[in-house]
Each structure stands twice: as structure tokens, then as C-alpha cells.
Amino acid sequence: SQQGEEDPQALSIQEGENATMNCSYKTSINNLQWYRQNSGRGLVHLILIRSNEREKHSGRLRVTLDTSKKSSSLLITASRAADTASYFCATDANDYKLSFGAGTTVTVRA
Amino acid sequence: EPEVTQTPSHQVTQMGQEVILRCVPISNHLYFYWYRQILGQKVEFLVSFYNNEISEKSEIFDDQFSVERPDGSNFTLKIRSTKLEDSAMYFCASKVAVGPGEQYFGPGTRLTVT
């Protein structure tokens, strides 16, 4: 299966703390993307990392990719209440579709 | 900022009825997608569409499903005879060009089949 699988399934942290979630996948990819979904809403693209990249930053987000281990991590630094959402990794193998994982639900406590 | 729009936001239909879900992708985008998310489950790919034809489809996208780009702006998903298990959130997405890139998702249509 191409799908990513996130770990942990759920994460509860205090505002200001960092949140780290991981994604593993099974086959070769062109790129890996992270999306955020607020409850009952659409998916918002956060960051894309290509297969030849190892790390990427965007604001408070840091993504790493280890293609030898077929895994990626998303770090959110200095979390805020507004970061409360579900986070999904999605693998892109052929530019025709994204394969999503089950997601990590992050709750940031004030 | 341009965005993908979807209508309706919520559709309730009876089993066996036909439904059409509508999407307006971002105007200069060339690739279009439908995904669905059954409540509490992961987002699943249904179909991708480029140059007025299907590029790829999943096992879910059987003969009951069809897609169409009837004009220069709309992209539709039709389910001919809905089943209870078709109840889900359906997301449309678009991408500007071939190659790696962000897919822009619409807010979704919640389909409830009774």
C-alpha cells in the first residue's frame, strides 16, 4: 500500500510546547505532503517535501523526510490553541493522486 | 486568494437516488480530483481528471460513479444509484500543473444517504 500511517493517533499538549508527529509509508514516492483539517472542514495544505529533500521549514513547521526509512516527521513549534486540528501526511507517487494516512489529532490546551 | 468551491455543503438523499456534487476548481488549474472521507476514517482517493479524461481511478470509483467537466469552470461527480455506504464527505481538489505540487481542496460536500 502507498498510504502513509501517522503516529501517534492523538496528541495533547500545552500551549507553547512543541508537537511532533510521524508518518511512515511503504513504497517509493515523488513527494510527501502534510495537510491540516479542522473539525468538519476541508484540508489545508501545510508543506510539501520532495523525495530528494531531507528537511524543510515553513514558519513554525519543520518537516523531515528519510526515504531510506520511508518515514517523515512534522514538528510544530511553540504550539497555539489555533493549531488544534487533525494532521495528515499524504504521499504522492505518480502526480496523479495523494494517498492519505489516518491522521494525528492534536489538541493544544490553553 | 483563489479557492476551490463546492456545492452543496450538505446533501441528503434516499438510497437508490442519483446525486451530483459540484465543484468549481481554481481557474488556471489543469488537474482535478475527487476524494472522499467516511466519518472517522482516512481521506480516500476516488479519481483524477486531466485534459477532459480520467487519469486514474481507485477501486471505489466503480460504474456507479462518473465525473464530468461540462463547461470551463465546473467539475462534477455523479453517483447514479446511491448506497448507504456512500455516505461521506466528498472533497474536490485541483492542482495547477503536472509534476509535484500542492493540491488545493474545497470545503467538501457532506453526503448523507438514508
Side-chain angles (χ1 to χ4, degrees):
Chain A
S1 168
Q2 184 64 73
Q3 294 168 332
E5 296 296 334
E6 288 91 343
D7 166 57
Q9 290 186 328
L11 186 58
S12 179
I13 55 174
Q14 201 73 32
E15 204 165 23
E17 293 180 339
N18 296 342
T20 300
M21 59 211 87
N22 303 296
C23 168
S24 61
Y25 57 93
K26 294 182 180 174
T27 60
S28 297
I29 60 171
N30 284 350
N31 64 80
L32 185 144
Q33 304 180 32
W34 285 90
Y35 285 80
R36 185 185 74 225
Q37 184 181 37
N38 291 86
S39 180
R41 308 287 295 275
L43 294 152
V44 174
H45 184 265
L46 296 176
I47 198 164
L48 179 154
I49 187 165
R50 297 175 190 238
S51 59
N52 61 353
E53 297 175 310
R54 291 297 165 257
E55 188 170 312
K56 205 160 181 181
H57 297 253
S58 176
R60 294 184 294 112
L61 305 179
R62 182 173 82 98
V63 168
T64 63
L65 179 65
D66 186 336
T67 52
S68 67
K69 295 181 179 177
K70 292 186 169 57
S71 67
S72 173
S73 68
L74 171 66
L75 167 68
I76 305 172
T77 60
S79 61
R80 305 167 182 169
D83 295 327
T84 294
S86 292
Y87 293 82
F88 297 88
C89 71
T91 53
D92 183 344
N94 60 5
D95 299 333
Y96 284 128
K97 68 179 184 183
L98 293 175
S99 296
F100 285 83
T104 294
T105 300
V106 175
T107 303
V108 181
R109 306 186 306 273
Chain B
E1 185 177 331
E3 57 183 19
V4 176
T5 59
Q6 291 185 243
T7 55
S9 57
H10 191 189
Q11 173 96 44
V12 181
T13 189
Q14 288 191 326
M15 196 167 51
Q17 296 296 304
E18 174 183 287
V19 294
I20 297 176
L21 309 183
R22 292 183 166 79
C23 168
V24 179
I26 294 173
S27 62
N28 64 333
H29 285 192
L30 299 178
Y31 283 82
F32 314 114
Y33 306 83
W34 283 102
Y35 293 82
R36 80 172 186 190
Q37 184 181 31
I38 295 171
L39 187 64
Q41 298 187 23
K42 60 179 70 175
V43 176
E44 301 173 289
F45 167 80
L46 292 179
V47 66
S48 60
F49 191 86
Y50 169 70
N51 200 26
N52 284 320
E53 60 183 27
I54 291 174
S55 306
E56 186 166 346
K57 59 184 181 179
S58 72
E59 301 160 350
I60 304 167
F61 195 88
D62 61 22
D63 292 344
Q64 292 301 311
F65 290 87
S66 63
V67 289
E68 193 177 31
R69 187 154 164 82
D71 53 42
S73 59
N74 290 284
F75 180 51
T76 61
L77 174 69
K78 181 193 289 187
I79 310 175
R80 287 189 184 81
S81 178
T82 50
K83 304 170 193 164
L84 294 175
E85 53 264 38
D86 293 327
S87 294
M89 183 77 95
Y90 288 81
F91 293 106
C92 172
S94 67
K95 189 170 79 168
V96 63
V98 69
E102 172 184 352
Q103 290 187 23
Y104 290 78
F105 282 77
T109 292
R110 180 167 298 284
L111 176 65
T112 303
V113 182
T114 61

